[in-house]
Amino acid sequence: LSNGHPAMISDPVANPRDVYPRDDLPPNVFELPPTGLSPEKRHAAILELEEYVTRKRDHFLGYQANQDQDHYRLDLSRFMESHVNNVGDPFTAGNFKVNSKVVERSVLDYYAALWNAKWPHDKTDPESYWGYTLSMGCTEGNLYGLWNARDYLAGKALITDPESTAQQPRLLWVQAAPPEHLSAEQKENALHPVAFFSEDSHYSLTKAMRVLSVDTFYALGTAKYPKDNPLAPGKPWPKEVPSAAGESGFSADGPGCVDVEKLAVLVEFFAAKGHPILVNLNLGSTFKGAYDDVRAVSERLFPIFKKHGLLEREVVYGKGKDAKPLTDRRRGFWLHIDGALGAAYLPFLRMAAENPNYEYVPEVPIPEFDFGLTVSDQETGRTYDMVNSIAMSGHKWIGSPWPCGVFMTKVKFQMRPPDNPAYIGSPDTTFAGSRNGFSPIVLWDYLAQHSYDKQISMIRDAQRMAHYTEQQLLRLQKTLGRDLMVARTPLALTVRFRRPNERIIAKWSLSSESLKLNPDDPKSPQLDYVHVFLMPWAKPSMIDDLVKDLHAKDAFPSEA
Ligand SMILES: COC(=O)[C@H](CCSC)/N=C/c1c(COP(=O)(O)O)cnc(C)c1O
């Protein structure tokens, strides 16, 4: 950083060029001296970055991000001249007037309708939906959904208080007491939620457990019941709920969806001890694009929830004016749907399957997953809505120039915000402080340009592309006479195959995963996979070019 510039506030301890990753880009072009860059250098840097990003974008197949952004630029670049901030609740105008909340509400209404929630939002109607558009991606949606679940199940105050009036909003006690009728052990556990998610879940779930200090069944089982793993007594607890097994008998070569029976056995263990149950289900898992069977999980867990008084339970959160206990009736379970990828397109695949005009017969039934999924209690005739919350990324299937998404739940599950900052003129009901006001405009513009019919065609095309890709890779496998471990989970938008060399991985931005076939046997073969995701952006020519690269002699390192 010498060449005549004034000294930096602090000198580098080493040369960044020597310590930072060597990427395609020349790092020195982007170094920032105290005087800033000359117009020429700045422009040159911008051109370098543009060339790199567009080159990588034109070969982008490895992640579930739709790189087709061209339809926004012309109409939306005008909003780059303002800071649009939707701070606070989407349904309260607030005092930060440069906002796009009217647009955000239309986007939320759209997904409420698509996901069979009661809309428009009505804060006085516990059954109506509530939601907000995310400033991060689905990681924020998962974090928020699991935070909501934790506090709901742990008896924290809810936003709706049966004794509150608009004139006299009663400050609810922050923490309820456990239901009276329980045994000592059950009372101790009644407000201590236990989380369950499969081994194919995204790492944002583990991150959320750490951030929120929520116990997984593994953490609690290992600490308190080390010898009692109900799946294999005496053996260590599995770290996550096992996924369904493949031909090998292990989940590594399985489809990637949760093993419903094993989930039920683990849930039963903790429900029997009085714990409320928090389950995350995947809708388009990160690596295999698999869909957990939300309907099967709901029906399998329902009798367990009923048996252990978790369908509906009374929590006491204070005493009224007449000193009578104030009770709240809540469910003792929470199903969060991580719909990062699939919540954006599965409704359209279902529409295609249900409308004969589309002449579409899916290879497997289209998974149910939304707020319309109910289970009836045969004894009481009562019907229960089973899904508590859904999160979806906006930058995956839909496509956005930056991470964004949607979180949705129902008013009856909403938490009372931890604080009430008057200066934003709105309840602080979301995760962020400042909230991206541009993302709702991007999502709105996409939905304005893409009718249901158009979106049905797009997901049908993507399914065809996934099938085409699988066939091309199987053909290559035959030509090379080598097992390329080609696999595609039914209805998934991704195809996985044997990891090729680093040059091909970098060119196509391929995401990789290495799995031991039998995790308990150190000598067990390691499966080194990569995958391609067939987003609306992917064209047959890109697949053909990738397959051509995979024909190269050195494309696949020899087996170790
Ligand atoms: C390794 O690939 C990933 O982490 C991609 C994000 C990159 S593509 C946009 N998946 C993110 C993801 C997430 C996190 O979503 P983001 O925070 O938006 O990245 C949540 N749930 C599932 C099932 C996911 O697959």
Side-chain angles (χ1 to χ4, degrees), residues 63-65 137-139 142 202-204 284-286 338 340 393 395-396:
Y63 291 85
Q64 50 275 64
C138 205
T139 296
N142 289 342
H202 187 256
Y203 60 84
S204 55
S285 63
T286 305
D338 176 357
S393 291
H395 53 292
K396 292 190 173 70

Side-chain angles (χ1 to χ4, degrees), residues 95-158:
N95 300 331
F96 193 111
K97 294 305 181 189
V98 186
N99 71 65
S100 66
K101 289 188 178 185
V102 63
V103 171
E104 181 179 13
R105 290 190 288 266
S106 294
V107 169
L108 294 170
D109 282 351
Y110 182 99
Y111 282 105
L114 197 65
W115 296 337
N116 289 300
K118 190 176 178 186
W119 69 285
H121 163 75
D122 171 359
K123 68 178 179 183
T124 64
D125 177 358
E127 291 305 323
S128 81
Y129 89 90
W130 176 82
Y132 75 99
T133 55
L134 307 169
S135 294
M136 287 161 47
C138 205
T139 296
E140 178 187 348
N142 289 342
L143 272 165
Y144 189 92
L146 297 168
W147 175 29
N148 200 149
R150 181 198 71 184
D151 284 6
Y152 176 89
L153 296 174
K156 288 285 188 304
L158 298 184

Side-chain angles (χ1 to χ4, degrees), residues 68-84:
D68 178 3
Q69 312 290 336
D70 201 28
H71 45 285
Y72 299 125
R73 189 163 43 105
L74 293 182
D75 292 334
L76 303 189
S77 54
R78 71 193 72 202
F79 296 106
M80 292 285 279
E81 292 170 27
S82 312
H83 170 66
V84 184

Side-chain angles (χ1 to χ4, degrees), residues 172-209:
L172 279 173
W173 288 52
V174 175
Q175 175 59 49
E180 282 302 315
H181 64 281
L182 298 176
S183 69
E185 181 195 45
Q186 288 181 325
K187 257 192 187 161
E188 184 197 334
N189 298 334
L191 301 174
H192 182 170
V194 182
F196 301 79
F197 48 86
S198 86
E199 58 185 308
D200 278 87
S201 297
H202 187 256
Y203 60 84
S204 55
L205 274 300
T206 303
K207 188 186 298 191
M209 297 298 107

